[in-house]
Amino acid sequence: KAGVTQTPRYLIKTRGQQVTLSCSPISGHRSVSWYQQTPGQGLQFLFEYFSETQRNKGNFPGRFSGRQFSNSRSEMNVSTLELGDSALYLCASSSHELTSGGADTQYFGPGTRLTVL
Amino acid sequence: TQLLEQSPQFLSIQEGENLTVYCNSSSVFSSLQWYRQEPGEGPVLLVTVVTGGEVKKLKRLTFQFGDARKDSSLHITAAQPGDTGLYLCAGFDTGGFKTIFGAGTRLFVKA
């Protein structure tokens, strides 16, 4: 079974531009979560999509948005890029919506490294 | 908001040594997970602990969940260079309905 794939792997943008990142979950998985990883803040939750609906959102400004398609593929968009948006963006897929138990296994992709100049 | 604190932040040891990494919180978690992340890759789940006092072993790695379910530890016996990586603990924040991660312990095992 193929793992989680993310494209592109590397991206360089300038301040003020916008960017779209893509994530293809493991076949059959309907939950996709996005995380931002930086050396200073670690891994931080952005949002989760399940069956094309955003289920939860982390504490990020409205410049960060996402969507999920009927085939469970997900995209994340960041508008008006700032220097501080430079990070590794990870997506993770799961077969079930993350429950209050939190014991569901999340499978992470390799990430997209975004550099904002 | 629930927080997870990991210690130490960085660990550099010789091959063959033992080590323990800690994950602590003031909040109770229904379960905690440990991940390892290697450079250029996403985190990979190592184990999920769900019962207070639970001990799980994965070859040379031993994971323990505290009795009060507020802390966890990862012990590596006879570390090898292949154990090098970033070790992350994670738990589900029931208030925010999201997975939260500790800042991680970066382990370097020298041959």
Side-chain angles (χ1 to χ4, degrees), chain A residues 9 35 37 42-43 45 48 56-59 88 90 98-111, chain B residues 1 30-31 33 35 37 40-45 48 50 86 88 91-92 94 96-103:
Chain A
R9 291 292 309 273
Y35 296 85
Q37 186 175 31
L43 259 162
F45 172 79
E48 182 202 3
N56 196 14
K57 192 177 192 308
N59 297 324
L88 180 68
L90 293 159
L98 297 181
T99 66
S100 59
D104 297 292
T105 299
Q106 293 187 75
Y107 297 87
F108 284 83
Chain B
T1 302
S30 58
S31 64
Q33 298 177 318
Y35 290 82
Q37 184 178 18
E41 301 294 331
V44 175
L45 180 66
T48 300
V50 297
L86 178 67
L88 297 158
F92 196 80
T94 54
F97 270 88
K98 60 186 179 184
T99 301
I100 59 172
F101 286 80

Coordinates of all heavy atoms in Angstrom, one line a residue, chain A residues 9 35 37 42-43 45 48 56-59 88 90 98-111, chain B residues 1 30-31 33 35 37 40-45 48 50 86 88 91-92 94 96-103:
Chain A
R9 N 8.0 18.7 -2.8 CA 8.8 18.5 -1.6 C 9.5 19.7 -1.1 O 9.7 19.9 0.1 CB 9.9 17.4 -1.9 CG 9.3 16.0 -2.1 CD 8.7 15.4 -0.9 NE 9.6 15.5 0.3 CZ 10.5 14.5 0.6 NH1 10.6 13.5 -0.2 NH2 11.3 14.7 1.6
Y35 N 0.0 19.8 9.6 CA 0.8 20.3 10.7 C 1.9 21.2 10.1 O 2.4 21.0 9.0 CB 1.5 19.2 11.5 CG 0.5 18.3 12.2 CD1 -0.1 17.2 11.5 CD2 0.1 18.5 13.5 CE1 -1.0 16.4 12.1 CE2 -0.7 17.6 14.1 CZ -1.3 16.6 13.4 OH -2.2 15.7 14.1
Q37 N 5.8 22.4 11.1 CA 6.9 22.1 12.0 C 8.0 23.1 11.8 O 8.5 23.3 10.7 CB 7.4 20.7 11.7 CG 8.5 20.3 12.7 CD 8.9 18.8 12.5 OE1 8.9 18.3 11.4 NE2 9.3 18.2 13.6
G42 N 8.1 23.7 17.1 CA 7.8 22.2 16.9 C 6.7 22.0 16.0 O 6.4 22.7 15.1
L43 N 6.0 20.9 16.2 CA 4.9 20.4 15.4 C 3.6 21.1 15.9 O 3.2 20.8 17.0 CB 4.7 18.9 15.4 CG 5.3 18.1 14.2 CD1 5.5 16.7 14.6 CD2 4.3 18.2 13.1
F45 N -0.6 21.8 15.1 CA -1.8 21.4 14.3 C -2.4 22.6 13.5 O -2.6 23.6 14.1 CB -2.8 20.8 15.3 CG -4.1 20.5 14.7 CD1 -4.3 19.3 13.9 CD2 -5.2 21.3 14.9 CE1 -5.6 19.0 13.4 CE2 -6.4 21.0 14.3 CZ -6.6 19.9 13.6
E48 N -7.8 19.6 10.4 CA -8.1 18.3 10.0 C -9.4 18.3 9.1 O -10.3 19.0 9.3 CB -8.5 17.4 11.2 CG -8.8 15.9 10.8 CD -9.6 15.1 11.8 OE1 -10.0 15.7 12.8 OE2 -9.8 13.9 11.5
N56 N -11.7 20.5 12.4 CA -11.1 21.2 13.5 C -10.0 22.1 12.9 O -9.4 21.8 11.9 CB -10.5 20.3 14.6 CG -10.3 21.0 15.9 OD1 -10.7 22.1 16.1 ND2 -9.5 20.3 16.7
K57 N -9.7 23.2 13.6 CA -8.7 24.1 13.1 C -7.8 24.5 14.3 O -8.3 24.8 15.4 CB -9.4 25.3 12.5 CG -8.5 26.2 11.7 CD -9.3 27.4 11.1 CE -8.5 28.2 10.1 NZ -7.2 28.7 10.5
G58 N -6.5 24.6 14.1 CA -5.6 25.1 15.1 C -5.6 26.6 15.1 O -6.3 27.3 14.5
N59 N -4.7 27.1 15.9 CA -4.6 28.6 16.2 C -3.7 29.2 15.1 O -2.6 29.7 15.4 CB -4.0 28.9 17.6 CG -5.0 28.4 18.6 OD1 -6.2 28.4 18.4 ND2 -4.4 27.9 19.7
L88 N 8.4 23.3 7.6 CA 8.1 22.0 7.0 C 6.6 21.8 7.3 O 6.2 21.8 8.4 CB 8.9 20.9 7.7 CG 8.7 19.5 7.1 CD1 9.2 19.4 5.7 CD2 9.4 18.4 8.0
L90 N 3.6 19.3 7.1 CA 3.4 17.8 7.1 C 1.9 17.5 7.0 O 1.1 18.2 7.6 CB 3.9 17.2 8.4 CG 5.4 17.2 8.5 CD1 5.8 17.0 10.0 CD2 6.1 16.1 7.7
L98 N -10.2 11.7 13.8 CA -9.5 11.7 15.1 C -10.6 11.8 16.2 O -11.4 12.7 16.2 CB -8.5 12.8 15.2 CG -7.4 12.8 14.2 CD1 -6.4 14.0 14.4 CD2 -6.6 11.5 14.3
T99 N -10.6 10.9 17.1 CA -11.6 10.8 18.1 C -11.1 11.4 19.4 O -9.9 11.7 19.6 CB -12.0 9.3 18.4 OG1 -10.9 8.7 19.0 CG2 -12.4 8.7 17.1
S100 N -11.9 11.5 20.4 CA -11.5 12.1 21.7 C -10.5 11.2 22.3 O -9.7 11.6 23.2 CB -12.7 12.3 22.6 OG -13.3 11.0 22.8
G101 N -10.4 9.9 21.9 CA -9.4 9.0 22.5 C -8.0 9.3 22.0 O -7.0 9.1 22.6
G102 N -8.0 9.8 20.7 CA -6.7 10.1 20.1 C -5.8 9.0 19.9 O -4.6 9.2 19.6
A103 N -6.3 7.8 19.9 CA -5.4 6.6 19.7 C -5.3 6.2 18.3 O -4.6 5.2 18.0 CB -5.8 5.5 20.6
D104 N -6.0 6.8 17.4 CA -5.9 6.4 16.0 C -4.5 6.7 15.5 O -3.9 7.7 15.8 CB -6.9 7.2 15.2 CG -8.3 6.9 15.6 OD1 -8.8 5.8 15.4 OD2 -9.0 7.8 16.2
T105 N -4.1 5.8 14.6 CA -2.7 5.9 14.1 C -2.8 6.9 12.9 O -3.6 6.8 12.0 CB -2.2 4.6 13.5 OG1 -2.1 3.7 14.6 CG2 -0.8 4.7 12.9
Q106 N -1.9 7.9 13.0 CA -1.7 8.9 11.9 C -0.4 8.5 11.1 O 0.6 8.2 11.7 CB -1.6 10.3 12.4 CG -2.8 10.8 13.1 CD -2.7 12.3 13.4 OE1 -2.8 13.1 12.6 NE2 -2.5 12.5 14.7
Y107 N -0.5 8.5 9.8 CA 0.6 8.2 8.9 C 1.0 9.5 8.3 O 0.2 10.1 7.6 CB 0.2 7.1 7.9 CG -0.1 5.8 8.5 CD1 -1.4 5.6 8.9 CD2 0.8 4.8 8.7 CE1 -1.8 4.3 9.5 CE2 0.5 3.6 9.3 CZ -0.8 3.4 9.7 OH -1.2 2.2 10.2
F108 N 2.2 9.9 8.5 CA 2.7 11.2 8.0 C 3.4 11.0 6.6 O 4.1 10.0 6.4 CB 3.7 11.8 9.0 CG 3.1 12.4 10.2 CD1 2.8 11.6 11.3 CD2 2.9 13.8 10.2 CE1 2.2 12.2 12.4 CE2 2.3 14.4 11.3 CZ 1.9 13.6 12.4
G109 N 3.2 12.0 5.8 CA 4.0 12.1 4.6 C 5.4 12.7 4.9 O 5.7 13.1 6.0
P110 N 6.2 12.9 3.9 CA 7.6 13.4 4.1 C 7.6 14.9 4.2 O 8.7 15.4 4.7 CB 8.3 13.0 2.8 CG 7.2 12.9 1.8 CD 6.0 12.4 2.5
G111 N 6.5 15.6 3.9 CA 6.5 17.0 4.1 C 6.9 17.8 2.9 O 7.5 17.3 2.0
Chain B
T1 N -5.3 24.8 27.7 CA -4.7 24.0 26.7 C -3.7 23.0 27.3 O -2.9 23.4 28.2 CB -3.9 24.9 25.7 OG1 -4.8 25.9 25.2 CG2 -3.2 24.1 24.6
S30 N -5.7 10.4 27.7 CA -6.3 9.1 27.6 C -5.3 8.1 26.9 O -5.4 6.9 27.1 CB -7.6 9.1 26.8 OG -7.3 9.7 25.5
S31 N -4.4 8.7 26.1 CA -3.3 7.9 25.5 C -2.2 8.8 25.1 O -2.4 10.0 25.0 CB -3.8 7.1 24.3 OG -4.2 8.0 23.3
Q33 N 1.4 8.9 22.5 CA 2.1 8.2 21.4 C 3.5 8.7 21.3 O 3.8 9.8 21.7 CB 1.4 8.5 20.1 CG -0.1 8.0 20.0 CD -0.8 8.3 18.8 OE1 -0.7 9.4 18.2 NE2 -1.5 7.3 18.2
Y35 N 6.7 9.0 18.5 CA 7.1 9.0 17.1 C 8.6 9.2 17.0 O 9.2 9.8 17.9 CB 6.4 10.1 16.3 CG 5.0 10.0 16.1 CD1 4.1 10.4 17.1 CD2 4.4 9.6 14.9 CE1 2.7 10.3 16.9 CE2 3.1 9.5 14.7 CZ 2.2 9.9 15.7 OH 0.9 9.8 15.5
Q37 N 11.3 10.7 14.1 CA 11.4 11.4 12.8 C 12.9 11.5 12.4 O 13.7 12.0 13.2 CB 10.8 12.9 12.9 CG 10.8 13.6 11.6 CD 10.1 15.0 11.8 OE1 10.0 15.5 12.9 NE2 9.7 15.6 10.7
G40 N 14.5 14.8 6.7 CA 13.8 14.7 5.4 C 12.6 13.8 5.4 O 12.1 13.6 4.3
E41 N 12.2 13.3 6.5 CA 11.0 12.5 6.6 C 10.0 13.0 7.6 O 10.3 13.8 8.4 CB 11.4 11.0 6.9 CG 12.4 10.4 6.0 CD 11.8 10.2 4.6 OE1 10.6 10.0 4.5 OE2 12.6 10.2 3.6
G42 N 8.8 12.4 7.4 CA 7.7 12.7 8.4 C 7.9 11.8 9.6 O 8.6 10.8 9.6
P43 N 7.3 12.1 10.7 CA 7.3 11.3 11.9 C 6.7 9.9 11.7 O 5.7 9.8 10.9 CB 6.5 12.0 13.0 CG 6.4 13.5 12.5 CD 6.5 13.4 11.0
V44 N 7.3 8.9 12.3 CA 6.7 7.5 12.2 C 6.3 7.1 13.5 O 7.1 7.2 14.5 CB 7.8 6.6 11.5 CG1 7.3 5.2 11.5 CG2 8.1 7.0 10.1
L45 N 5.1 6.6 13.7 CA 4.6 6.1 14.9 C 5.4 4.9 15.4 O 5.6 3.9 14.7 CB 3.1 5.8 14.8 CG 2.5 5.3 16.1 CD1 2.4 6.4 17.2 CD2 1.1 4.8 15.9
T48 N 1.7 3.4 20.8 CA 0.7 4.1 21.5 C 0.5 3.4 22.9 O 0.3 2.2 22.9 CB -0.6 4.0 20.8 OG1 -0.5 4.6 19.5 CG2 -1.7 4.8 21.5
V50 N -2.0 3.3 26.3 CA -3.3 3.8 26.6 C -3.7 3.5 28.1 O -4.7 4.1 28.6 CB -4.4 3.1 25.7 CG1 -4.1 3.5 24.3 CG2 -4.3 1.6 25.8
L86 N 14.8 12.4 15.8 CA 14.0 13.2 16.7 C 12.9 12.4 17.2 O 12.1 11.9 16.5 CB 13.5 14.4 15.9 CG 12.6 15.4 16.7 CD1 13.4 16.1 17.7 CD2 11.9 16.4 15.7
L88 N 9.5 12.2 19.3 CA 8.4 13.1 19.7 C 7.3 12.3 20.5 O 7.0 11.2 20.1 CB 7.7 13.7 18.4 CG 8.6 14.5 17.5 CD1 8.0 14.6 16.1 CD2 8.6 16.0 18.1
G91 N -0.1 13.6 22.3 CA -1.3 13.2 23.0 C -2.4 14.0 22.4 O -2.3 15.0 21.7
F92 N -3.6 13.5 22.7 CA -4.8 14.2 22.1 C -5.4 15.2 23.1 O -5.7 14.8 24.3 CB -5.9 13.1 21.8 CG -7.0 13.7 20.9 CD1 -6.7 13.8 19.5 CD2 -8.2 14.1 21.4 CE1 -7.7 14.3 18.7 CE2 -9.1 14.6 20.5 CZ -8.9 14.7 19.2
T94 N -8.1 17.0 24.4 CA -9.6 16.8 24.4 C -10.3 18.1 24.4 O -11.5 18.2 24.0 CB -10.1 15.9 25.5 OG1 -9.6 16.5 26.8 CG2 -9.6 14.5 25.4
G96 N -9.2 20.9 22.7 CA -9.1 21.5 21.4 C -9.3 20.5 20.3 O -9.3 20.9 19.1
F97 N -9.6 19.2 20.7 CA -9.8 18.2 19.7 C -8.8 18.1 18.6 O -9.0 18.2 17.4 CB -11.2 18.3 19.0 CG -12.3 17.6 19.8 CD1 -13.0 18.2 20.8 CD2 -12.6 16.3 19.5 CE1 -13.9 17.6 21.5 CE2 -13.6 15.6 20.2 CZ -14.2 16.3 21.2
K98 N -7.5 18.1 19.1 CA -6.4 18.0 18.2 C -5.3 17.3 18.8 O -5.2 17.2 20.1 CB -5.9 19.5 17.8 CG -5.5 20.3 19.0 CD -5.2 21.7 18.6 CE -4.7 22.5 19.9 NZ -4.5 23.9 19.6
T99 N -4.4 16.8 18.0 CA -3.2 16.1 18.5 C -2.1 17.2 18.8 O -1.9 18.1 18.0 CB -2.6 15.1 17.5 OG1 -3.6 14.1 17.2 CG2 -1.4 14.4 18.0
I100 N -1.5 17.1 20.0 CA -0.5 18.0 20.3 C 0.8 17.2 20.5 O 0.8 16.1 20.9 CB -0.7 18.8 21.6 CG1 -1.0 17.9 22.8 CG2 -2.0 19.7 21.4 CD1 -1.1 18.7 24.1
F101 N 1.9 17.9 20.2 CA 3.2 17.2 20.2 C 4.1 18.0 21.2 O 4.1 19.2 21.4 CB 3.9 17.3 18.8 CG 3.3 16.3 17.8 CD1 2.1 16.7 17.2 CD2 3.9 15.1 17.6 CE1 1.6 15.8 16.3 CE2 3.3 14.2 16.7 CZ 2.2 14.6 16.0
G102 N 5.0 17.2 21.8 CA 6.1 17.8 22.6 C 7.1 18.4 21.6 O 7.1 18.1 20.4
A103 N 8.0 19.2 22.1 CA 9.0 19.8 21.3 C 10.1 18.8 20.7 O 10.7 19.1 19.8 CB 9.8 20.9 22.1

